[in-house]
Amino acid sequence: MAKQALIQRELKRDKLAAKYAAKYAELKSIANDAKKSDDERMLARLALQKLPRNANPTRQRNRCEITGRPRGTFRQFGLARAKIREMAFAGDIPGITKASW
């Protein structure tokens, strides 16, 4: 089980990224638009730098929904590999069966 502080920090990042998502996307599109003047693009980059660091979506980490484990997490299930294995053997994940050949 991951530390509760780390899980809470990740939830805080999720909220902050959602809050600034529209503004981040707008500034990012201006900064990458070659049709805009250099001054406009530079101002957009400066505005991006002034946003909170945790508002950047790349700072978010995928964690297991059950244990909070940060590594070995499968996006399709939102679970860590160990939990997928346990739940698959128990038959809790539809369509997943143990391989045997």
Side-chain angles (χ1 to χ4, degrees):
M1 191 75 179
K3 288 184 179 179
Q4 287 301 310
L6 298 178
I7 294 171
Q8 293 305 317
R9 183 189 305 162
E10 200 60 44
L11 293 175
K12 185 177 169 184
R13 283 182 181 155
D14 291 342
K15 288 179 190 174
L16 201 59
K19 178 180 175 183
Y20 286 99
K23 186 169 187 159
Y24 186 84
E26 177 188 348
L27 290 172
K28 193 78 169 164
S29 66
I30 292 170
N32 291 333
D33 190 2
K35 295 178 183 176
K36 300 277 185 184
S37 69
D38 288 340
D39 291 335
E40 286 178 313
R41 294 172 67 190
M42 186 182 71
L43 289 174
R45 286 191 195 103
L46 289 174
L48 272 172
Q49 290 176 1
K50 290 183 180 179
L51 291 178
R53 182 173 284 172
N54 285 333
N56 191 336
T58 58
R59 289 181 63 91
Q60 294 174 336
R61 181 87 169 146
N62 292 333
R63 289 186 173 269
C64 176
E65 292 292 326
I66 297 171
T67 61
R69 181 179 164 84
R71 298 184 181 207
T73 304
F74 287 71
R75 286 184 186 178
Q76 183 178 2
F77 304 107
L79 300 172
R81 55 186 171 74
K83 284 296 169 185
I84 290 175
R85 187 170 189 266
E86 286 175 16
M87 293 176 75
F89 288 162
D92 295 337
I93 304 176
I96 303 290
T97 57
K98 182 177 177 187
S100 60
W101 59 91

